[in-house]
């Protein structure tokens, strides 16, 4: 039985997330509760469903083994010569020996991932624009707007002890969000840094796609 559920509709797809109790062994035998996400596709009178993610409800106990980690939010940018989401901020985060470095990603209409906290740069909305429209935009420290691939090259070559915290910003459609996740995972695989990467997002669709793909 479902004890709590939420639903979100986008582009004809209904994403349902439910907290279930007493699941049978198709899911988690012996577990009392689990969180399940699934898609309902509606075409005329036909309704089909597909499970996206299943995860048992679990609280991680506090212990001395779970020590706090220091993460440079948008890199170490509050210092001379640096700025948020820049390659310099990545390098400086690595220099001071923090555990992780967080960055924000947007994807252009031609599938280029770029770093920026806000969805707009120099008056141009990133997710509605081609890369050519923003590639020469300058950051406050004089760097040009970095692509995710440019950033990953530096990370791979110079930051062997650093963990990268990748945040995909919420995009305007399910399709664009999933395409962005696929592109992120492809580049992470290309540069062989999967064991140094963590993912976060305020988009539940993005989080589901990370688990799924």
């Amino acid at each position: 039985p479902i004890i709590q559920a939420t639903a979100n509709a986008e582009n004809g797809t209904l994403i349902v997330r439910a907290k279930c109790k007493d699941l049978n062994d198709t899911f988690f035998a012996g577990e009392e509760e689990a969180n399940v996400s699934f898609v309902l596709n509606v075409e005329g009178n036909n309704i089909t469903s597909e499970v996206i993610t299943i995860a048992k409800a679990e609280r991680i106990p506090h212990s001395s083994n779970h020590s706090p980690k220091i993460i440079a939010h948008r890199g170490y940018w509050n210092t001379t010569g640096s700025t948020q989401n820049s390659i310099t901020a990545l390098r400086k985060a690595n220099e001071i020996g923090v555990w992780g470095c967080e960055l924000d990603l947007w994807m252009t209409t031609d599938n280029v991932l770029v770093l920026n906290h806000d969805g707009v740069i120099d008056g141009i909305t990133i997710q509605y624009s081609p890369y050519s429209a923003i590639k020469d935009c300058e950051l406050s420290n004089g760097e040009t707007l970095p692509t995710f691939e440019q950033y990953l090259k530096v990370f791979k070559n110079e930051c062997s002890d650093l963990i990268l915290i990748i945040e995909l910003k919420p995009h305007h459609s399910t399709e664009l969000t999933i395409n962005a996740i696929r592109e992120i995972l492809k580049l992470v695989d290309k540069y062989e840094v999967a064991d140094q990467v963590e993912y976060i997002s305020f988009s539940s669709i993005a989080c589901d796609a990370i688990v799924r793909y």
Side-chain angles (χ1 to χ4, degrees), residues 152 155-156 185-197:
L152 271 187
F155 177 72
K156 169 69 174 179
L185 296 176
K186 182 174 76 174
L187 288 171
V188 166
D189 184 61
K190 176 180 177 180
Y191 288 94
E192 301 179 330
V193 293
D195 59 343
Q196 286 181 257
V197 169

Side-chain angles (χ1 to χ4, degrees), residues 126-147:
I126 297 170
Q127 63 178 312
Y128 292 116
S129 305
Y131 177 61
S132 60
I134 59 172
K135 68 181 182 65
D136 296 323
C137 290
E138 264 195 18
L139 306 182
S140 61
N141 68 340
E143 289 182 37
T144 54
L145 180 73
T147 67

Side-chain angles (χ1 to χ4, degrees), residues 23-213:
L23 294 176
N24 62 34
D25 58 7
T26 303
F27 296 99
F28 285 102
E31 295 295 336
E32 291 187 354
E33 292 185 0
N35 296 314
V36 182
S37 297
F38 56 94
V39 175
L40 294 181
N41 297 304
V42 182
E43 295 182 6
N45 294 324
N46 297 320
I47 301 177
T48 59
S49 64
E50 178 184 357
V51 172
I52 299 176
T53 58
I54 308 167
K56 65 180 180 180
E58 181 180 3
R59 182 183 297 275
I60 298 174
H62 175 76
S63 76
S64 59
N65 294 326
H66 296 90
S67 59
K69 307 296 184 185
I70 307 301
I71 297 170
H73 189 223
R74 305 172 202 165
Y76 180 29
W77 55 269
N78 192 17
T79 185
T80 303
S82 188
T83 194
Q84 298 181 18
N85 282 305
S86 65
I87 290 176
T88 297
L90 168 67
R91 286 182 167 130
K92 288 186 176 292
N94 188 55
E95 287 172 5
I96 62 174
V98 294
W99 179 81
C101 180
E102 186 262 358
L103 63 114
D104 303 301
L105 289 180
W106 292 94
M107 194 167 76
T108 65
T109 56
D110 48 350
N111 298 330
V112 178
L113 291 159
V114 297
L115 277 74
N116 206 53
H117 177 264
D118 297 336
V120 177
I121 185 167
D122 291 351
I124 302 168
T125 303
I126 297 170
Q127 63 178 312
Y128 292 116
S129 305
Y131 177 61
S132 60
I134 59 172
K135 68 181 182 65
D136 296 323
C137 290
E138 264 195 18
L139 306 182
S140 61
N141 68 340
E143 289 182 37
T144 54
L145 180 73
T147 67
F148 182 48
E149 183 157 19
Q150 291 167 345
Y151 194 93
L152 271 187
K153 286 179 182 177
V154 175
F155 177 72
K156 169 69 174 179
N157 293 329
E158 302 179 20
C159 306
S160 59
D161 295 324
L162 194 65
I163 299 297
L164 206 58
I165 314 298
I166 299 172
E167 178 177 346
L168 179 65
K169 306 300 281 187
H171 286 62
H172 71 86
S173 72
T174 298
E175 180 182 8
L176 188 59
T177 300
I178 291 174
N179 286 344
I181 290 298
R182 284 174 169 161
E183 188 65 23
I184 290 168
L185 296 176
K186 182 174 76 174
L187 288 171
V188 166
D189 184 61
K190 176 180 177 180
Y191 288 94
E192 301 179 330
V193 293
D195 59 343
Q196 286 181 257
V197 169
E198 303 284 349
Y199 301 96
I200 60 174
S201 182
F202 285 98
S203 165
S204 59
I205 293 170
C207 294
D208 285 338
I210 290 166
V211 172
R212 191 175 186 186
Y213 299 110

